[in-house]
Amino acid sequence: MEENEAKVMDWIDDHFILNEIEIEDFPFFPNGKLIRDKNEETMVVFWCVIYGRVDYRLQEA
């Protein structure tokens, strides 16, 4: 696993209970992961190459 992808997965692990979400690869963002909860709400977590950190975008209402 690439270093930045590992950082994305660590961030997800720190902020969610892993057995309560689904995680899919989301290649539209660097090292992107699509997260879906039991209510079918989604967010994308990814590595921001501009700021050099994990970032995310929430589902629009």
Side-chain angles (χ1 to χ4, degrees):
M1 181 182 297
E2 184 185 327
E3 180 181 345
N4 294 337
E5 184 177 6
K7 290 176 183 178
V8 169
M9 291 304 296
D10 287 344
W11 187 94
I12 293 169
D13 187 40
D14 289 345
H15 291 84
F16 293 93
I17 299 171
L18 294 182
N19 65 356
E20 294 184 3
I21 60 171
E22 295 176 14
I23 303 171
E24 299 175 26
D25 287 337
F26 195 75
F28 302 103
F29 287 90
N31 305 114
K33 301 294 180 187
L34 178 71
I35 298 174
R36 182 175 294 111
D37 68 11
K38 59 187 171 187
N39 297 322
E40 296 296 318
E41 293 182 357
T42 59
M43 71 182 293
V44 175
V45 181
F46 60 95
W47 183 257
C48 179
V49 295
I50 295 171
Y51 296 110
R53 66 177 185 219
V54 174
D55 203 350
Y56 61 89
R57 297 291 180 265
L58 299 172
Q59 173 182 344
E60 295 288 326

